[in-house]
Structures are given as C-alpha cells and as structure tokens.
Amino acid sequence: MAEKIPTIMTAIEITQPGGPLVLKPGERGVPEPNPGELLVQVKAAGVNRPDVLQRQGHYPPPAGASDIPGLEIAGDVIAVGAGVSRFRTGERVTALVPGGGYAQYCTVHESNALPIPAGYGYIEAAAIPETFFTVWHNVFERGALQKGETFLVHGGSSGIGTTAIQLANAFGAHVIATAGSEEKCEACLKLGAGRAVNYRNEDFVEAVKDATSNKGVNLILDMVGGDYVERNYEAAAIDGRIVQIAFLNGARANADMSKLMVKRLTHTGSTLRARPIEFKAGIARELELKVWPLLVERRVAPVIDMVYPMHEAWRAHERMEDGQNIGKIVLDVS
C-alpha cells in the first residue's frame, strides 16, 4: 500500500532577514505537483551560497518559486503531476530546484530531476545538482573549456571549486586553483589541480605566470570579483575567457580595460536560479550524457564537508559563512 502523503510538513523558514539564527523550523502545507512536476519526499538538501544571500535579504527567490531556501535535493518520488512520463513513484532522484529544498517535501519539474547515480546515497546525491549544473554551464558551455587548455578556478575548495577541479581534470584540462589555507590547497591538489595557490601569502597572478611560462590561462572561473577582475585580466592568456559567477569581494571593480582589448579577452557571466525550466533541462540532459558515467565510475564525486540535521540549518550557514568548509555542506532531512 502506498504511503499516505501528509498535508503538513516541516520546513526551514527565514523568519526575517538576518544572521543564521533567523532560520527556524516551521510548518507548511505539503505542495502538490503541477502538470509535469514530481513531488519528492526529501531525504537530503544541499546548502549553497545563494541560500545565505537569500537569508540575508540580498537574493529573493524568482517569481513563482518557494520562499523556503534550498536549491538542490535528493529523495524519493512519491507523487507525479499530469503528463509526467519519465519518473514513477518510488524512484530515487536528485534535482535542481529554484527554492523549497529545506523541507520534507518539494516539487520539481521532471526535466530538472535526474536519477541518483548508482552507488550514491541521498547525502552525496543532494550535493550534486547546484554545483554540477553551475560548473557545466559556466566552464564547459559559456567558458568552452577544451582538452589541453589551462583553467584557473578561484575558491578551489568550495563546493563549486571542488566540482570544477574534478570535471576540468576529467576532461583533460590543466587546473590551477586558489584557496585560503595550506589545508585547502592540499585538498585541491588531491582532487586533480596541478597547482594550488594560497592567496593569503602568494600572488595568484605571479603563480599563474610561473606555471604557464608567462602565457597565462585560457579560462578563469571567478566568484570573487572586486579587485580580482583586473588581476584576472593580468592572469589571462591571449584570447582568454573569464566567467563571473559571484562577487564575494563586491560587484564593482576598477580595471584597466585596455587589457581586455589588447589580449582580446572575453569576460562574461551568468546566474542560474531564475533561468527557465527548459534551459535547466538542457543542462540536465548534457550532465546525464557526459557526467553521470563519470559519477558512477567515481572518476568525479561530490566532496562532502559536513552534514547537519535539517533543524540545525543555522549551523550549516554558520560554517559556510566562516569559510572553513572544503566541499559541500548538506542537510539530513530524513
């Protein structure tokens, strides 16, 4: 007999904009799947920097999305909306969602969900979608990273960074990573970076020039912004590309734009959360085709830093804001 779906669930609410302690468990109605959607009983949810920004009041959810934080989930399909063709109740999925992940139940369009890779539990599976979707789109689609090119990723020990290092290495690129401690640099090297730069005591521009015989890097993935913008221009090779995905050091920068012209650089950027379902579905198809086999073979895998019970989401946010994590922070919802 199928398990009866309750009408009320526990979810983590942002009671007001502020610090981690504004995250509190509350009661919400269990959402119903619309046509094309799955209702997932969430077993684990990933924690990401956009969740922190939303909690602080700086990153409101897109129109129509849940105000409950959480952009990635793993769990069991327990109901489907009209027209769903791929997944059935009882199947295990991991999914990218525009919000609502910090909850016992969450809806997602079936095209933005993927089967949990063979051999993965819910905790690991919940650490996949946000970073893998983000890295695939920004490094391989927008950034057009090719085999044999040199790739610089800032924040190499973050969830995004650890994913980017592994994927770039798996597809034959040479990787340089920056990180803020020797421990984090060591983690980057173990994941496949050829060189790791501790930005607290080494200039990454000089390190890049040294590692590339002054040629510079072909692609840079930057989540720092601020004064890194001009320094990225210095570190980039002729015809280099810079992809901006965040601005931890601020969204404004003073940069010598002549370098953009002389080096023929491309500086682009993107956000993912508000993009249409169809756009994310395209990324999901590419991931299943090109990355899921690597996950199954464990040639790449999410790096799990810490796991907290869902009611301690505030502790997860504290750890992320402290910047001590190496890899992903995950909430256990089961």
Side-chain angles (χ1 to χ4, degrees):
M1 180 181 293
E3 182 179 343
K4 181 175 174 59
I5 300 171
T7 57
I8 300 296
M9 67 177 182
T10 300
I12 299 299
E13 298 177 323
I14 300 172
T15 55
Q16 64 185 56
L21 290 176
V22 305
L23 296 174
K24 297 185 183 299
E27 289 191 344
R28 293 288 187 98
V30 173
E32 294 186 6
N34 293 317
E37 290 185 340
L38 314 173
L39 176 61
V40 178
Q41 184 174 17
V42 180
K43 301 295 187 180
V47 176
N48 295 284
R49 184 67 59 175
D51 305 342
V52 172
L53 295 174
Q54 180 179 337
R55 190 206 75 226
Q56 294 170 338
H58 303 316
Y59 192 25
S66 171
D67 66 323
I68 298 167
L71 303 180
E72 57 186 347
I73 59 170
D76 301 326
V77 178
I78 60 167
V80 298
V84 167
S85 58
R86 177 169 188 192
F87 293 102
R88 296 177 295 178
T89 57
E91 292 189 299
R92 302 191 322 147
V93 297
T94 184
L96 184 72
V97 295
Y102 294 10
Q104 291 176 313
Y105 297 88
C106 184
T107 55
V108 61
H109 195 276
E110 69 167 342
S111 66
N112 290 187
L114 288 162
I116 291 178
Y120 283 70
Y122 296 113
I123 297 295
E124 275 192 305
I128 294 173
E130 202 271 345
T131 53
F132 278 77
F133 273 69
T134 298
V135 169
W136 186 260
H137 174 58
N138 288 288
V139 174
F140 295 94
E141 293 181 344
R142 296 192 75 82
L145 183 65
Q146 302 297 312
K147 181 178 180 180
E149 289 191 321
T150 303
F151 169 54
L152 170 64
V153 55
H154 292 301
S157 62
S158 66
I160 293 288
T162 54
T163 300
I165 290 169
Q166 292 181 80
L167 284 177
N169 185 60
F171 284 96
H174 307 291
V175 183
I176 302 171
T178 65
S181 71
E182 293 307 315
E183 180 188 10
K184 290 181 177 182
C185 285
E186 185 62 31
C188 293
L189 294 172
K190 288 181 178 178
L191 290 170
R195 182 155 180 174
V197 181
N198 183 343
Y199 63 78
R200 298 189 189 279
N201 55 31
E202 188 176 4
D203 179 1
F204 76 79
V205 176
E206 292 305 314
V208 162
K209 289 179 178 179
D210 178 64
T212 62
S213 301
N214 287 318
K215 293 178 181 178
V217 292
N218 305 106
L219 176 65
I220 301 172
L221 183 67
D222 183 32
M223 58 195 79
V224 181
D227 67 337
Y228 270 41
V229 172
E230 183 162 49
R231 296 167 71 192
N232 286 336
Y233 292 176
E234 283 279 354
I238 300 296
D239 291 315
R241 293 95 64 198
I242 301 105
V243 183
Q244 202 76 45
I245 58 169
F247 296 101
L248 296 178
N249 276 4
R252 297 185 180 276
N254 291 316
D256 181 354
M257 302 303 288
S258 68
K259 292 185 177 65
L260 199 72
M261 299 165 64
V262 172
K263 287 187 171 183
R264 302 186 297 275
L265 303 178
T266 300
H267 190 172
T268 184
S270 74
T271 60
L272 185 59
R273 187 179 188 183
R275 299 298 287 272
I277 288 170
E278 297 78 14
F279 176 81
K280 297 173 188 175
I283 301 175
R285 288 192 296 270
E286 287 292 299
L287 286 173
E288 187 166 17
L289 178 66
K290 297 174 180 175
V291 175
W292 248 235
L294 301 178
L295 284 165
V296 172
E297 295 170 8
R298 295 276 174 177
R299 290 178 59 192
V300 300
V303 176
I304 306 299
D305 175 75
M306 291 285 284
V307 180
Y308 297 93
M310 185 175 72
H311 68 273
E312 293 183 0
W314 63 272
R315 291 182 61 205
H317 277 226
E318 275 193 341
R319 182 162 180 82
M320 177 159 282
E321 287 189 273
D322 287 344
Q324 298 305 308
N325 60 296
I326 296 177
K328 296 284 294 188
I329 301 169
V330 179
L331 300 179
D332 186 344
V333 184
S334 60

